[in-house]
Amino acid sequence: MTQIINSLSEISDRYEALFVDLWGCVHNGVAAIPSAVEALQSYRQRGGAVILVTNAPRSRHEVAKQLDRFGVPQDAWDDIATSGDSARAAMFRGAVGSKVWFMGQDYDLTFFDPLKLIENPVAIQRVPLEEAEGIVCCGPFDPHADPSVNRPQFLLAKTKGLKLLCANPDIVVDRGERREWCAGALAQLYTEMGGESLYFGKPHPPIYDLARARLSKLRKGVPDAGILAIGDGAHTDIDGAMGEDIDSLFISGGLARAETKTTHQPEPAALEAYIQREMINPSFTIGTLR
């Protein structure tokens, strides 16, 4: 059974580095969570390294700008690994062809900015679905509409044999007090309809490879036993940590706050029922990162 802790400092000395989720842990989609910022600042002051590992479908540079707007100071983290960067690399290597149908918001269009690290990148064109060789999905056109509204387009895409590149495997996020659908929900629907979806964020290996690469630039030779993954997503953050065989700290007051009856801390029986139902095994649990 998971161990409920009262603060990160209770266990942080066991780890050289943290892989920390953002939405629901460090910010709520609107503003920074002060206790989380303080916990990460304190950890770094004691010599630990903090890699923010996010399923945001954007580059780390765009995520850094967003953190500034939300009030997350730069001394709370060392580097950022994003699902967007992993997925962009795959796109520019031709994973879904050169002519793509784009799903997402206008602010997601930075996904198509040139990626200098790729040699001989594929020239990507955004085209209508009827002309597309593949789909690039950064999110729904309307984050509050049920994903099923995309069935007609997905039926055509499946018939054409198009692959869907999912830039954000999250199913939902909470923006303040309102829940929104993410690209992962669309990819899940497309797969259920018989299409092929390609994933690059948590819980899938590419983003952890990127996070380790970012960490290795800060300090060499950190073993997996020296890394703690922190997040509120049962099937992104915790499943991902389990798949990578690294310890995890589950933030029960994020996406699962109702199911775990979390106010300051989760209700133990509710937490255990949730863990059993979702078939996850976090090493530790806390209500909010602090």
Side-chain angles (χ1 to χ4, degrees), residues 257-277:
R257 62 184 177 278
E259 294 91 335
T260 59
K261 299 182 180 179
T262 297
T263 50
H264 179 69
Q265 287 282 61
E267 196 277 314
L271 173 63
E272 181 62 18
Y274 178 79
I275 286 174
Q276 293 293 330
R277 184 172 69 252

Side-chain angles (χ1 to χ4, degrees), residues 188-205:
Q188 183 180 68
L189 173 63
Y190 190 57
T191 301
E192 290 171 354
M193 291 178 64
E196 181 178 356
S197 298
L198 309 178
Y199 295 93
F200 298 88
K202 297 174 289 185
H204 305 281

Side-chain angles (χ1 to χ4, degrees), residues 172-238:
V172 294
V173 293
D174 291 329
R175 189 182 300 274
E177 296 300 318
R178 194 172 188 186
R179 185 153 290 189
E180 296 182 353
W181 294 104
C182 297
L186 303 184
Q188 183 180 68
L189 173 63
Y190 190 57
T191 301
E192 290 171 354
M193 291 178 64
E196 181 178 356
S197 298
L198 309 178
Y199 295 93
F200 298 88
K202 297 174 289 185
H204 305 281
I207 195 169
Y208 293 97
D209 294 340
L210 179 59
R212 289 187 180 94
R214 300 274 195 255
L215 176 59
S216 69
K217 292 181 178 180
L218 298 172
R219 57 187 69 184
K220 300 288 186 181
V222 178
D224 287 346
I227 300 171
L228 176 70
I230 301 176
D232 70 326
H235 299 300
T236 50
D237 303 300
I238 307 306

